[in-house]
Amino acid sequence: MEATQKEKTHPPEAQKAEYQDCLGCRIVGTVALSGVGLHALNASRAHKPGSPLERRIMGAVGVAFLIGGAVRAIM
């Protein structure tokens, strides 16, 4: 069988390479996730209105977004 044009220019091994984001994309993603996490943590503070369960949920969401921001910065 004849190889297609794509296979001639890009061998299958090269197509499996890992995707790497540019530095600007990583910075923007990290700042965005961390900002949302900090906002959610601020919404979970004791002086904010809402039930204790709602504040705990917002605290968990905030921590999850902060962890996501840290992972985004590393990977």
Side-chain angles (χ1 to χ4, degrees):
M1 285 191 241
E2 187 175 318
T4 64
Q5 183 65 25
K6 185 176 181 179
E7 289 174 347
K8 288 180 185 177
T9 58
H10 301 292
E13 302 86 39
Q15 293 175 359
K16 294 180 182 178
E18 234 181 84
Y19 177 75
Q20 294 290 324
D21 279 336
C22 64
L23 181 61
C25 297
R26 291 177 68 180
I27 291 171
V28 168
T30 300
V31 170
L33 288 171
S34 299
V36 171
L38 289 173
H39 177 71
L41 281 177
N42 185 39
S44 72
R45 294 181 61 180
H47 71 278
K48 298 288 183 173
S51 71
L53 178 63
E54 290 172 348
R55 290 195 302 265
R56 285 184 184 148
I57 290 172
M58 287 305 290
V61 168
V63 169
F65 272 104
L66 285 174
I67 290 170
V71 169
R72 178 73 178 122
I74 296 169
M75 298 178 115

